[in-house]
Amino acid sequence: MPNPNNSSRHIVLTSHPSNFGPKPIPIQWGAESPVERGPIIATLTKQAHRNVIGTHSGGYAIYRALAVASGALQTDHRADLTNTSPVEHIGPHPSWSDPEKIVSIDPFGAIVGEVFTSYYEQGYDIRPTIAVTKAHINMPELQEAVINGRLQIDGKIMKTGGDLVVTKAAIEPVWYLPGVAKRFNISEGDLRRALFEQTGGMFPELVTRPDLEVFLPPIGGVTVYIVGDIGAITDPNKPVAVRVHDECNGSDVFGSDICTCRPYLVHGIEVCVQTAQEGGAGIIIYCRKEGRALGEVTKFLVYNARKRQEGGDRADAYFARTECVAGVQDMRFQELMPDILHWLGVTRIDRMVSMSNMKFNAITQSGIEIVERVAIPEDLIPNDARVEIEAKKAAGYFTTGEVLDDTGLSEIKGRSLVE
């Protein structure tokens, strides 16, 4: 048998620098300027330059590994960022330099090519974690809304044929671990240990490199769709509508009728268009948290368990069956979600298209006012989703009346109360 010690290949498992070697560029999270804050360097071209744990687009790292192993991708490839800068500039806003407001994304992530030129010239490989572009989207339900008179063709926001003009941003997660730990009221050490253990030890730096405080987790990111004038988001005299939507592939893409996800998403877009056509702005935040962040395999297992149990699918056993498979009802943990709103400069939401108490509480506790909560109309709820509605109602997922909280009286409108 060949002796592994004679192998010509040496695999480095960690990126620990020598005690006497060069130190990576420090990251001063919450600094006012990007240069003072420092760049996020997670690429692998020069290990000594890395100042974070993890890699960009961590959820796709295995595919990159396959591309490298098969010879399709060179390990020293550096992205050519020519003409990739944002088509719309967002910020900076005061929240960008507030370490209490943003802990899970890099607010400067879209403009690294502009603000870190000197580092690029020194050979640093810095990648954007946010990309901003423009697009048209077209959904048959929006065309139906035009036909039924709920939406209007204005030639600017809604084009002939039902095309909706949007600005969209793709955002990768960038976690400032001390801030994330504080947000969840846990110690940074406990957070690091749990992340290390629950990823099977994939990131040893979590427990061996306390000097690295930023982590790029291997999870899906967020896509933001903005309808209307971006400037209206921060104008106190113009209305803002928001729909925060957690991914549901079966409903959102394929139209499965066992839940209200696609109908609620479409309704949210409709309210955003109406608000934009009034001179304001609408924001759709689409988070990759499939199956309440339990995953699609778990979700389908629960579907089977619910429908096969004695008495069939029942609201009183809805979450019990979920807990039997997953151990918990929900792992979305909305505490980090408001960071996207703070990146956009949102301070007040006039129409929140959601009845979720978890989302409402996370947003208002982060200092953003919600004026009105908009529910999905009753006639948009699929018949097979009634069990979900009753189960969530009983579990307190959403509110069925007016809510009084720190921000004042929140008005709730709509004929159905479901999230």
Side-chain angles (χ1 to χ4, degrees):
M1 293 180 65
N3 185 344
N5 294 324
N6 293 333
S7 171
S8 62
R9 298 184 65 187
H10 176 62
I11 300 176
V12 179
L13 297 180
T14 67
S15 58
H16 298 30
S18 165
N19 291 334
F20 304 100
K23 298 294 184 182
I25 297 169
I27 296 173
Q28 305 294 333
W29 198 268
E32 187 169 343
S33 73
V35 174
E36 182 185 0
R37 201 287 308 276
I40 301 295
I41 306 174
T43 50
L44 303 170
T45 51
K46 292 185 179 180
Q47 291 285 345
H49 287 177
R50 288 170 53 81
N51 62 359
V52 302
I53 304 166
T55 65
H56 291 300
S57 302
Y60 295 91
I62 299 302
Y63 292 106
R64 287 200 303 274
L66 288 174
V68 169
S70 66
L73 175 65
Q74 297 299 311
T75 57
D76 60 352
H77 171 74
R78 290 186 61 179
D80 180 352
L81 300 177
T82 303
N83 294 328
T84 63
S85 59
V87 298
E88 289 275 3
H89 281 275
I90 295 172
H93 300 294
S95 54
W96 288 23
S97 57
D98 185 341
E100 299 288 322
K101 298 292 187 186
I102 298 179
V103 301
S104 65
I105 63 173
D106 174 11
F108 302 108
I111 55 175
V112 296
E114 303 168 30
V115 298
F116 295 125
T117 304
S118 63
Y119 286 108
Y120 281 105
E121 293 172 349
Q122 296 173 58
Y124 285 91
D125 186 7
I126 304 168
R127 308 281 176 100
T129 57
I130 300 175
V132 183
T133 189
K134 282 186 176 291
H136 288 187
I137 62 174
N138 196 313
M139 302 174 72
E141 294 94 334
L142 297 180
Q143 297 180 40
E144 292 174 11
V146 171
I147 293 171
N148 294 330
R150 295 194 307 274
L151 293 180
Q152 305 298 319
I153 299 294
D154 58 50
K156 181 179 180 181
I157 295 171
M158 285 288 292
K159 300 279 190 176
T160 302
D163 280 356
L164 176 61
V165 180
V166 299
T167 299
K168 61 180 183 178
I171 304 174
E172 293 181 357
V174 177
W175 287 10
Y176 175 57
L177 292 174
V180 172
K182 185 175 181 180
R183 187 78 61 88
F184 283 89
N185 296 314
I186 57 178
S187 74
E188 184 185 346
D190 287 344
L191 173 63
R192 284 175 173 266
R193 173 61 62 176
L195 288 169
F196 173 73
E197 292 176 349
Q198 293 303 313
T199 56
M202 289 170 58
F203 304 98
E205 293 91 345
L206 286 166
V207 292
T208 63
R209 294 291 306 276
D211 59 308
L212 298 182
E213 296 183 321
V214 176
F215 174 45
L216 276 59
I219 59 176
V222 175
T223 308
V224 179
Y225 292 83
I226 303 170
V227 185
D229 179 15
I230 288 180
I233 294 174
T234 55
D235 188 333
N237 299 312
K238 295 183 178 180
V240 174
V242 172
R243 166 66 184 168
V244 177
H245 191 89
D246 293 321
E247 179 183 27
C248 178
N249 182 64
S251 179
D252 296 342
V253 179
F254 293 100
S256 170
D257 65 353
I258 199 170
C259 62
T260 60
C261 294
R262 182 179 172 99
Y264 223 137
L265 174 61
V266 172
H267 181 56
I269 295 173
E270 199 172 307
V271 173
C272 285
V273 173
Q274 292 167 347
T275 304
Q277 290 181 332
E278 294 171 10
I283 303 167
I284 302 292
I285 299 175
Y286 194 89
C287 308
R288 271 33 178 233
K289 297 179 181 179
E290 177 64 62
R292 298 191 215 110
L294 303 174
E296 200 165 31
V297 169
T298 294
K299 181 163 71 171
F300 286 11
L301 293 174
V302 172
Y303 285 167
N304 289 344
R306 283 168 46 192
K307 297 205 179 265
R308 288 171 175 167
Q309 66 189 336
E310 185 177 353
D313 199 4
R314 308 191 316 271
D316 63 333
Y318 181 92
F319 286 113
R321 298 311 303 151
T322 302
E323 290 185 14
C324 285
V325 177
V328 295
Q329 293 183 4
D330 195 313
M331 291 197 305
R332 283 177 290 180
F333 296 108
Q334 301 292 355
E335 286 87 345
L336 299 178
M337 171 267 295
D339 289 18
I340 306 298
L341 295 167
H342 289 297
W343 174 67
L344 293 168
V346 175
T347 57
R348 187 195 71 240
I349 298 172
D350 297 276
R351 298 161 188 160
M352 179 72 184
V353 190
S354 170
M355 301 309 297
S356 166
N357 286 337
M358 289 188 294
K359 294 174 184 176
F360 175 87
N361 292 337
I363 291 170
T364 56
Q365 288 169 11
S366 78
I368 296 173
E369 177 188 3
I370 294 178
V371 179
E372 175 187 336
R373 300 168 77 177
V374 180
I376 185 173
E378 186 77 19
D379 55 7
L380 294 183
I381 301 171
N383 289 332
D384 206 24
R386 298 288 169 181
V387 171
E388 175 198 32
I389 295 172
E390 295 305 318
K392 289 186 174 181
K393 187 184 300 183
Y397 258 63
F398 54 84
T399 297
T400 57
E402 292 180 331
V403 175
L404 189 62
D405 74 319
D406 322 1
T407 65
L409 189 62
S410 174
E411 184 180 358
I412 298 174
K413 293 184 178 181
R415 292 174 289 153
S416 172
L417 304 171
V418 59
E419 173 62 13

